[in-house]
Amino acid sequence: MKKKFSLEIKSPCEEKFDKMIPNSNGSFCNSCAKNVIDLSTKTNAEVARFIAENKNKSICARLKTSQLEEEFEINEISKSNNFKYAVAVAASVLLTSNIVGQEKEPVKTEVGCAKPNPHIVGKIAYQEGKMASFVLSGKILEKATKKPLSNEKYPELQIYVSGSNVSVKVDPKTGAYSIPLLLDKKTSEIYVTINSNDSSYSKSMKIDLSKIRNNSLILNLSIDSEKEMHSYKIMGGLGVNYIDNKKLKNS
């Protein structure tokens, strides 16, 4: 069953996200001693999946104001469906047990057959044939001047790309950046986010992984900062408002 919801932050926080300490769960805020999750760089599907996985938890997050106007959707399995599934599994087990009980002779096994080894313990590795591990690099420049974005106006400029677990700093003097990525070889589009304090730029961009050379791929970004860099980041306790589909139909 599909369930729709929207997000809200009732009491926006004035703490600076770029001053927090990054960790595996987000960035740690010393003021409230909590991890702040950066959802502003996530797609709608990624946000919905995060909310579904962290249902009923107290979450402090960073959002774009435009995300407060979005409607998200998750798939929920009803209890009745779970019960039906459990009954089906139980019936399957019972049926299998009866068949085994009715066998008059034990099943013959092939002599010399290797013993099965159903359990393998260890780290999960990706299949190299299907994944591309490389470094995406290039420069972020002003569209009009072909120079780096103003460090005074956009200090501590960082870039985040879908397929990476980290944001990296952009060189204020040259506009150069370099970020490691791990993508499926079929990937043809990535989501790029550039942040500076409370200003942000986000865009989906086409990418051609066949052009990777020496484990490197070049992607230069030309930005009209006056029009494309927006100041609209807010932080605070995340609220989830579930939408009643019945009310929507009647309205």
Side-chain angles (χ1 to χ4, degrees), residues 23-42:
N23 57 41
S24 59
N25 296 318
S27 290
F28 186 76
C29 177
N30 286 319
S31 296
C32 58
K34 289 183 66 177
N35 277 319
V36 179
I37 309 301
D38 190 1
L39 296 180
S40 67
T41 61
K42 306 294 184 184

Side-chain angles (χ1 to χ4, degrees), residues 8 23 67 108 111 117 121 138-139 147 159 167 174 195:
E8 70 170 343
N23 57 41
Q67 287 174 299
K108 295 181 180 180
V111 177
N117 181 19
V121 179
K139 291 185 177 182
K147 294 181 179 180
I159 182 171
S167 296
T174 64
N195 292 318

Side-chain angles (χ1 to χ4, degrees), residues 107-214:
V107 178
K108 295 181 180 180
T109 57
E110 184 180 349
V111 177
C113 179
K115 293 182 179 180
N117 181 19
H119 303 292
I120 300 175
V121 179
K123 294 182 178 179
I124 298 175
Y126 65 88
Q127 296 181 356
E128 293 186 0
K130 296 183 179 180
M131 305 297 290
S133 177
F134 62 99
V135 175
L136 184 72
S137 58
K139 291 185 177 182
I140 300 172
L141 304 175
E142 281 282 2
K143 187 176 291 185
T145 64
K146 306 301 180 184
K147 294 181 179 180
L149 275 63
S150 169
N151 188 45
E152 292 183 1
K153 191 171 183 179
Y154 303 109
E156 301 295 325
L157 199 66
Q158 295 186 340
I159 182 171
Y160 168 83
V161 181
S162 55
S164 176
N165 294 322
V166 296
S167 296
V168 298
K169 288 187 177 182
V170 178
D171 189 323
K173 294 181 179 180
T174 64
Y177 73 92
S178 181
I179 185 168
L181 294 179
L182 178 63
L183 300 175
D184 188 296
K185 286 188 175 180
K186 295 181 180 179
T187 301
S188 60
E189 191 172 76
I190 56 175
Y191 193 72
V192 177
T193 300
I194 300 171
N195 292 318
S196 173
N197 289 340
D198 294 334
S199 297
S200 176
Y201 163 91
S202 298
K203 188 176 182 180
S204 292
M205 307 193 72
K206 297 293 182 181
I207 191 170
D208 186 355
L209 299 187
S210 67
K211 293 183 178 180
I212 295 175
R213 298 291 183 271
N214 298 321

